[in-house]
Amino acid sequence: MKRIYIIITCLISLNVFAQSHLQEANKLYDRLVYIDAAKEYEAYVQNANYIEPETYMKIGDTYYNLKNFAQAKEAYQKWYNAVGPNKNNAQGYQYYDSLRRLKLYDEAEKVAERYFESISVEALNSHYEERDRFEELLKGDTLYKVRNLELNSQYADFGGSFNQKSFVFTSGRNYVNKGLFERDNTPYLSIYKTENPQVDSADTVELFSKELTSEFHDGTATFSPNSKYLYYASSYQNGKRKVFEGDKKNYFKIYRVDMSAKKYKKELLPFNGDAYSAGQPYVTPDGKKLFFASDMPGGYGKADIYVCDIYEDGTYSKPMNLGPKINTIADDFFPYFKDDVLYFSSGGHVGFGGLDLYKSYYRDGIYGAAINLGPIINTNADDFAYLEGDEPNTGYFSSDRAGGKGGDDIYAFDYNLAKCVQYISGTVYDIETNEPIANAYVTVYDEANTEYLKVKTDEKGAYAVELTCESTYKIEARKAGYSEDELNFTTDVLPDRKMNMLDFKLKDLSEIFVTEGEVEKIRIDPIYFDYYRYNITDVAAIQLRKVVDVMNAYPEMIIKIESHTDQRGTDYFNKTLSTNRALSTKDWLLEHGIESSRIESAIGYGESRPINICDEDGKTCTELEYSENRRSEFIVVSR
């Protein structure tokens, strides 16, 4: 009996001991001090008789934030097997991402499907669409070449912006007055600069400003035009002490500094809050918009990307969330916006794992689908902080991928745009009969409206063209005797993408137009002239009214007038007579409302282009045949 009592006492003591570790672990977890929380959770697991699913979830979170994804996966798996998908829980995403980080993509997809299915059919279909687009991306060529920069240190180095001649970035290279961040025992971050990031070594890097450097985190910087203002994020402080809010957390806030002032003064931006962070600011090249990331209330997940207008008086509009096509249940970070293209980093879109780099085209006030920038620039590690370089198709980004110098590193990239092509195909149909139209021309124009290429449809009305990625084109389908159809089309970033989707519908205009070979004419009864006359007769005016009606129906149409005589008379006389007939025809159209710019020319060809071949003695032509040669025709130049 005494022996049993001793065993029970020991078990109770062990349980009490385990519970004390759990309580301490949970306190550290709530304060985001993950490196110490991990030690306490490990001690708890060794001594606990039973572990709640919620505790496994917190253990998974702890390892996930320490980037120990193998142990995070083990803990999340035990939590997930107990509770299943939970649409209100970010940990479901973190389990999914841990699997991606370990390149267990099939397992990750099953978790994702269950998660989105628990939300709605629309959410699941949207996920499938993005997954299919990502899988299509993987079939293409690798278009990026990346290079680790010499300026990187053994600590975190990331971000980047240009301040006139300097390259400004964030680093934890352990500035002498800074300590270690208690969350994961890494050095606090400061803002640094160097002159030429392509060639400069770590020895050339220097602190951006001692005056602005705090004792805690100072993060990514951006500059307004001409570098008048610096915008950057920093741990919120009062003097030299961090400010911890009611939830015992220290938040990031965005500051603005007038760089032209003799003494720098940090100005808090009005949209900062006391219960959320704001950071990673980016000012557009025109200085009119400020993008940033924040976990402020009302977003779609963790951190979302927002934008606000910068007014001329230095005030700001209310921040606007960029919406669900950009922001996700996970972190969406590091916005960069130029030439109506948003580049950003996200952990919530379908990708390789961790943060991936994406782009979205901004058209008519709407952000398009997030397009993964592809392999090499993206990995199963964190890839983020896109920045355009001085030369086209070059730039910088940051990553904590394997093979770096330590923590996050900054990489330079070259993008081989010329190697990136997409294959666009489709069919040209008759809009009324739905029959394919053979021998129609499909013409592609570039952004300068210069003809890029031209192809002809086959007997099935099909065509195919090869276009450069990330380019905007106008594609036009036309055939003599038919209406035209056109659209503006922008290719995306996916190399070797095949899209059989661009069909065109043309209307048969044979009742309005007639074609002779490749020449298209307005279909009217012939405009005949009296012998040796060039005035417009009442009968001719009836037909010319039809020309006016057609040109009014096609307001972009441009024509040219060609007038002819019969063979009687001298060549010189007939040339003069036909020219007068062409000009009188043009004058009649102008008098009846047609703009002169829509008549390219009015030319008389004399007797050189007869319909009926007659000799000058009249032995082989009837008077009717002669009259058929005396005519004006209306050639369609464009419509």
Side-chain angles (χ1 to χ4, degrees):
M1 186 75 176
K2 183 178 180 181
R3 186 175 176 184
I4 295 173
Y5 176 78
I6 292 171
I7 293 173
I8 294 173
T9 303
C10 289
L11 289 173
I12 293 173
S13 299
L14 285 172
N15 189 54
V16 171
F17 179 69
Q19 288 299 315
S20 67
H21 281 295
L22 178 61
Q23 291 174 2
E24 182 61 23
N26 286 339
K27 288 179 182 178
L28 292 165
Y29 173 89
D30 291 338
R31 290 173 48 205
L32 311 182
V33 184
Y34 295 118
I35 196 163
D36 292 333
K39 297 174 183 177
E40 295 294 334
Y41 280 128
E42 288 169 3
Y44 167 69
V45 169
Q46 288 177 358
N47 296 287
N49 294 324
Y50 170 75
I51 300 173
E52 294 284 346
E54 182 182 359
T55 300
Y56 276 124
M57 180 196 74
K58 290 182 178 180
I59 293 171
D61 288 351
T62 299
Y63 286 125
Y64 180 85
N65 283 284
L66 292 173
K67 298 193 174 183
N68 186 336
F69 300 111
Q71 288 190 264
K73 177 238 180 188
E74 289 183 11
Y76 280 138
Q77 202 158 37
K78 292 173 182 177
W79 163 78
Y80 187 79
N81 290 339
V83 302
N86 185 339
K87 63 185 178 182
N88 296 318
N89 218 320
Q91 282 71 25
Y93 160 77
Q94 292 182 180
Y95 174 38
Y96 161 72
D97 190 49
S98 296
L99 294 169
R100 290 192 306 172
R101 299 270 198 162
L102 298 168
K103 298 186 178 181
L104 301 172
Y105 293 116
D106 290 341
E107 291 182 48
E109 178 58 24
K110 292 176 183 177
V111 173
E113 286 181 353
R114 289 187 66 186
Y115 170 77
F116 288 110
E117 191 175 31
S118 72
I119 298 176
S120 67
V121 174
E122 292 78 9
L124 182 62
N125 289 337
S126 179
H127 169 74
Y128 284 149
E129 180 181 337
E130 189 167 339
R131 183 199 62 188
D132 291 344
R133 189 164 59 246
F134 176 71
E135 290 177 350
E136 189 174 7
L137 170 73
L138 298 180
K139 299 174 185 177
D141 290 337
T142 297
L143 303 175
Y144 289 92
K145 290 183 179 180
V146 304
R147 177 172 55 86
N148 191 298
L149 296 180
E150 292 297 322
L151 60 80
N152 289 309
S153 68
Q154 61 180 307
Y155 304 104
D157 302 284
F158 63 91
S161 61
F162 288 101
N163 172 35
Q164 297 179 347
K165 294 183 179 181
S166 296
F167 178 75
V168 180
F169 64 99
T170 303
S171 177
R173 55 190 66 204
N174 212 3
Y175 179 61
V176 66
N177 290 331
K178 290 203 174 187
L180 297 177
F181 183 32
E182 64 274 13
R183 178 173 173 175
D184 54 9
N185 281 350
T186 57
Y188 279 107
L189 302 170
S190 297
I191 303 173
Y192 289 82
K193 66 180 179 179
T194 191
E195 292 301 309
N196 188 342
Q198 290 284 350
V199 299
D200 287 350
S201 69
D203 294 336
T204 66
V205 172
E206 58 182 307
L207 201 63
F208 176 74
S209 169
K210 290 184 179 180
E211 187 177 346
L212 292 174
T213 300
S214 73
E215 294 186 6
F216 303 105
H217 280 313
D218 300 310
T220 52
T222 184
F223 298 88
S224 66
N226 300 318
S227 297
K228 176 173 173 54
Y229 291 106
L230 161 71
Y231 293 81
Y232 75 105
S234 181
S235 300
Y236 187 43
Q237 303 153 48
N238 183 6
K240 293 185 177 181
R241 299 184 64 182
K242 278 186 179 181
V243 175
F244 290 91
E245 304 297 345
D247 54 5
K248 297 182 179 179
K249 294 179 182 178
N250 174 253
Y251 293 101
F252 277 85
K253 297 181 186 290
I254 299 177
Y255 296 86
R256 187 181 78 164
V257 178
D258 185 347
M259 301 299 290
S260 64
K262 291 182 178 180
K263 184 175 177 60
Y264 294 155
K265 181 180 178 181
K266 296 165 57 175
E267 172 192 348
L268 273 171
L269 297 192
F271 49 75
N272 287 301
D274 294 332
Y276 59 85
S277 287
Q280 300 158 15
Y282 170 74
V283 177
T284 53
D286 60 8
K288 294 183 178 180
K289 291 186 181 295
L290 171 65
F291 290 80
F292 64 96
S294 175
D295 59 353
M296 65 176 63
Y300 292 89
K302 292 185 175 181
D304 281 7
I305 298 175
Y306 293 81
V307 63
C308 60
D309 294 320
I310 303 175
Y311 299 128
E312 290 185 4
D313 62 359
T315 59
Y316 306 86
S317 68
K318 181 180 178 181
M320 181 187 74
N321 189 296
L322 296 197
K325 285 191 176 181
I326 304 300
N327 294 312
T328 65
I329 62 169
D331 283 321
D332 302 286
F333 282 152
F334 292 95
Y336 179 88
F337 186 86
K338 189 175 181 182
D339 298 330
D340 287 338
V341 181
L342 173 72
Y343 296 88
F344 66 104
S345 303
S346 175
H349 293 283
V350 178
F352 295 91
L355 294 173
D356 274 10
L357 285 158
Y358 297 83
K359 70 187 303 182
S360 168
Y361 292 99
Y362 183 68
R363 300 286 187 271
D364 301 321
I366 298 172
Y367 291 93
I371 302 169
N372 191 293
L373 296 194
I376 301 301
I377 198 168
N378 283 320
T379 65
N380 65 323
D382 284 330
D383 307 291
F384 57 101
Y386 180 98
L387 173 66
E388 208 171 85
D390 293 332
E391 299 296 324
N393 302 315
T394 66
Y396 306 89
F397 71 100
S398 305
S399 177
D400 65 349
R401 63 187 60 191
K405 295 179 181 177
D408 302 310
D409 280 2
I410 302 174
Y411 293 78
F413 72 78
D414 293 291
Y415 178 56
N416 191 352
L417 179 61
K419 192 178 175 184
C420 184
V421 295
Q422 296 184 355
Y423 305 97
I424 315 301
S425 58
T427 305
V428 179
Y429 293 100
D430 185 305
I431 196 171
E432 295 179 341
T433 66
N434 212 36
E435 291 294 319
I437 300 174
N439 299 318
Y441 285 106
V442 176
T443 308
V444 180
Y445 299 90
D446 62 20
E447 290 187 82
N449 207 33
T450 302
E451 185 176 307
Y452 181 76
L453 58 83
K454 188 175 187 179
V455 297
K456 194 183 269 191
T457 58
D458 62 19
E459 67 277 3
K460 296 182 180 179
Y463 75 94
V465 294
E466 182 181 298
L467 304 180
T468 302
C469 297
E470 300 186 82
S471 302
T472 299
Y473 299 96
K474 180 178 77 173
I475 307 179
E476 176 186 86
R478 65 180 301 171
K479 183 178 181 179
Y482 288 82
S483 65
E484 298 170 10
D485 192 11
E486 68 176 44
L487 56 81
N488 292 321
F489 181 76
T490 300
T491 53
D492 57 34
V493 73
L494 303 179
D496 298 329
R497 188 177 188 187
K498 296 178 175 63
M499 288 179 281
N500 182 17
M501 55 180 290
L502 297 186
D503 295 337
F504 295 92
K505 303 282 188 178
L506 309 185
K507 179 179 175 59
D508 187 345
L509 301 177
S510 57
E511 294 182 358
I512 302 174
F513 301 100
V514 63
T515 58
E516 296 176 4
E518 295 298 324
V519 177
E520 188 175 65
K521 303 176 183 179
I522 298 176
R523 180 190 286 274
I524 58 172
D525 292 336
I527 303 292
Y528 296 136
F529 292 88
D530 291 337
Y531 183 55
Y532 284 171
R533 299 295 180 92
Y534 56 83
N535 58 298
I536 303 299
T537 66
D538 292 341
V539 175
I542 295 173
Q543 300 305 315
L544 288 176
R545 171 53 64 183
K546 294 180 181 178
V547 175
V548 171
D549 291 343
V550 171
M551 295 191 73
N552 286 336
Y554 293 85
E556 302 297 321
M557 180 186 291
I558 296 175
I559 65 169
K560 57 183 179 180
I561 302 169
E562 296 181 352
S563 291
H564 310 271
T565 67
D566 62 31
Q567 292 95 323
R568 292 178 291 188
T570 66
D571 289 346
Y572 175 79
F573 178 82
N574 285 334
K575 176 69 169 147
T576 302
L577 180 62
S578 64
T579 298
N580 288 334
R581 286 174 175 172
L583 293 175
S584 67
T585 301
K586 177 181 178 180
D587 290 342
W588 193 96
L589 294 177
L590 297 180
E591 290 171 2
H592 288 78
I594 302 301
E595 295 289 334
S596 61
S597 61
R598 299 182 62 196
I599 301 176
E600 183 181 273
S601 61
I603 300 174
Y605 288 92
E607 59 185 77
S608 63
R609 298 182 181 181
I611 295 175
N612 303 304
I613 305 299
C614 307
D615 65 24
E616 293 188 357
D617 295 330
K619 294 179 180 178
T620 60
C621 277
T622 64
E623 197 60 42
L624 175 60
E625 290 170 328
Y626 276 127
S627 68
E628 289 175 345
N629 286 342
R630 302 190 300 270
R631 69 200 187 280
S632 282
E633 297 176 317
F634 304 89
I635 312 300
V636 177
V637 177
S638 64
R639 54 179 171 84

